[in-house]
Amino acid sequence: MSASQTSDVPTLLVKIFGKDRPGITAGLFDTLAAYSVDVVDIEQVVSRGRLVLCALVTEPTVASQGELRATIHSWAESLKLQAEIISGTGDNRPRGSGRSHVTVLGHPLTAEQTAAITARIAEKGGNIDRIFRLAKYPVTAVEFAVSGCETEPLRTALATQAHGIGVDVAVVSAGLHRRAQRLVVMDVDSTLIQDEVIELFAAHAGCEDKVAEVTAAAMRGELDFEQSLHARVELLAGLDASVVDKVRAEVRLTPGARTLIRTLKRLGYQVGVVSGGFTQVTDDLKERLGLDFASANTLEIVDGKLTGRVTGEIVDRAGKARLLRRFAAEAGVPLSQTVAIGDGANDLDMLNTAGLGVAFNAKPVVRQAAHTAVNVPFLDTVLYLLGITREEVEAADGDEEDLLH
């Protein structure tokens, strides 16, 4: 039956509670089959081994209603389950317009934090239609399907709330686009990797403190990035080119980086990096991690020595946004389907250009401006913002292990 056909039809809501085991759902519908009812809706939840199974079905003939109720209760009792049967009319009420997925990340996620988030959803006129846990480690990630309020106002309200109570919240609009192919573009320094690459070079030149001071000021937005880049690179003049291999060996990936990229690639996503650092490192990362795109500044090397200059187009704040657009065009992905991840002020244009901008362990100015913020040190938590569960990630890893062996 269509929704219009069931709108005025008498229906029964059959609710089953108890200890979960295989065959309960099959047993319930086998029992119902004897009364020739139609299935309107089904929902089932299992939490810590306890089952809640709801079946919305059309009422049988008046003569057999009492028999159906008695049979369901008898069947449930035989399995040490509880049954509740409620009469009504039609299907579930339609969900409100304005639908969003709200993902909450906690480390841990407390009842107080959950109360605050759900209260704010209600204040904005939103109704929580469904709740689903995406992951239990390394963070607790829970997704709320919300209807009845528009995505942007909800995102603004929850971002303010989240910052005050110490959780991360992402709000994205619901719809088919969430399952579409996407492009994910990341910053490199302090995002994909734990290091600032220029500081690794500076350590070999004996000027690490001077470079770190300029880097920090640039990331806070206190200095023009291009000027600060040239000032820092000048300090590297005279270094032997062999230092490039040493720096590549010193680079430390952020925890979860490989898992994030591996999972995205399995799903058919395209993945790229843009960096205010150097192609001498990003080209290596592209090859090692199987990235689709990579762009950065290039250190000039003459006669086996660093000259203290960069060559080519400068990748600065505006450049990162420009490269995101270029990568999206090459990948055939609309900007609304792009995800950008970064931590510094020079990532802001890119984060705001993307369909979803994620501030990863970012400076305060970046957290406030991005669509959402992740403040745990695991890059693969970004997967949860895309609706991908930890179980799905682990199952895919397990399948690959089985194939290898």
Side-chain angles (χ1 to χ4, degrees), residues 65-80:
Q65 279 189 41
E67 181 184 341
L68 179 148
R69 290 173 180 268
T71 302
I72 292 296
H73 282 288
S74 177
W75 167 80
E77 186 177 340
S78 72
L79 295 176
K80 297 182 179 179

Side-chain angles (χ1 to χ4, degrees), residues 6-333:
T6 60
S7 60
D8 297 319
V9 172
T11 51
L12 297 176
L13 176 60
V14 181
K15 301 172 72 176
I16 304 297
F17 313 86
K19 185 177 180 181
D20 188 34
R21 74 204 74 169
I24 291 177
T25 306
L28 172 63
F29 285 97
D30 187 51
T31 304
L32 289 168
Y35 299 91
S36 301
V37 298
D38 295 333
V39 177
V40 179
D41 196 7
I42 312 170
E43 291 213 19
Q44 180 171 305
V45 175
V46 178
S47 183
R48 212 177 67 178
R50 306 297 292 182
L51 167 82
V52 179
L53 169 60
C54 297
L56 186 63
V57 299
T58 55
E59 278 192 354
T61 61
V62 175
S64 59
Q65 279 189 41
E67 181 184 341
L68 179 148
R69 290 173 180 268
T71 302
I72 292 296
H73 282 288
S74 177
W75 167 80
E77 186 177 340
S78 72
L79 295 176
K80 297 182 179 179
L81 301 169
Q82 293 179 286
E84 182 181 2
I85 304 173
I86 304 170
S87 297
T89 302
D91 198 348
N92 303 306
R93 64 181 178 84
R95 294 179 64 192
S97 61
R99 300 178 186 179
S100 306
H101 296 285
V102 177
T103 306
V104 181
L105 308 179
H107 190 53
L109 179 62
T110 69
E112 182 179 8
Q113 292 165 334
T114 306
I117 292 297
T118 52
R120 183 54 65 91
I121 292 172
E123 288 172 10
K124 299 302 292 183
N127 185 73
I128 299 172
D129 301 311
R130 189 167 298 167
I131 305 174
F132 183 73
R133 187 179 71 183
L134 296 165
K136 59 183 178 181
Y137 70 92
V139 298
T140 300
V142 180
E143 181 176 286
F144 299 85
V146 177
S147 62
C149 58
E150 296 303 317
T151 298
E152 287 302 325
L154 182 62
R155 175 186 287 160
T156 301
L158 292 182
T160 303
Q161 183 77 59
H163 180 70
I165 62 176
V167 296
D168 298 331
V169 177
V171 182
V172 297
S173 59
L176 286 175
H177 65 273
R178 202 179 188 211
R179 300 185 183 94
Q181 184 190 51
R182 290 190 178 186
L183 167 69
V184 178
V185 176
M186 290 174 274
D187 174 43
V188 175
D189 293 9
S190 298
T191 300
L192 178 62
I193 66 174
Q194 300 177 56
D195 314 282
E196 292 287 334
V197 167
I198 197 164
E199 292 179 11
L200 296 179
F201 277 101
H204 292 280
C207 57
E208 187 175 11
D209 291 343
K210 291 181 180 178
V211 165
E213 185 178 329
V214 178
T215 299
M219 291 299 100
R220 291 192 299 266
E222 298 170 3
L223 292 176
D224 173 80
F225 178 81
E226 184 171 351
Q227 291 177 336
S228 70
L229 174 68
H230 290 304
R232 289 174 290 176
V233 172
E234 284 176 7
L235 297 171
L236 307 181
L239 272 179
D240 192 90
S242 63
V243 76
V244 170
D245 289 333
K246 295 176 183 177
V247 168
R248 286 175 174 175
E250 292 167 352
V251 164
R252 300 166 300 162
L253 292 175
T254 297
R258 288 187 183 277
T259 301
L260 172 67
I261 294 169
R262 182 173 65 243
T263 304
L264 292 173
K265 296 295 290 180
R266 284 173 176 161
L267 290 169
Y269 287 40
Q270 297 188 62
V271 185
V273 293
V274 292
S275 177
F278 310 111
T279 56
Q280 282 82 357
V281 171
T282 57
D283 287 351
D284 181 61
L285 289 170
K286 181 182 180 184
E287 183 177 348
R288 285 166 51 195
L289 299 174
L291 302 174
D292 299 284
F293 304 99
S295 189
N297 300 300
T298 299
L299 290 169
E300 185 181 61
I301 298 175
V302 176
D303 296 330
K305 301 286 184 182
L306 273 64
T307 65
R309 295 187 295 271
V310 292
T311 62
E313 185 181 17
I314 297 296
V315 179
D316 56 7
R317 176 169 168 167
K320 288 187 174 185
R322 184 170 60 251
L323 286 163
L324 172 67
R325 293 189 185 94
R326 183 188 304 170
F327 293 168
E330 292 178 16
V333 174

Side-chain angles (χ1 to χ4, degrees), residues 355-373:
L356 176 64
V358 181
F360 181 72
N361 292 307
K363 315 302 183 286
V365 65
V366 183
R367 288 201 304 268
Q368 293 167 12
H371 297 136
T372 189

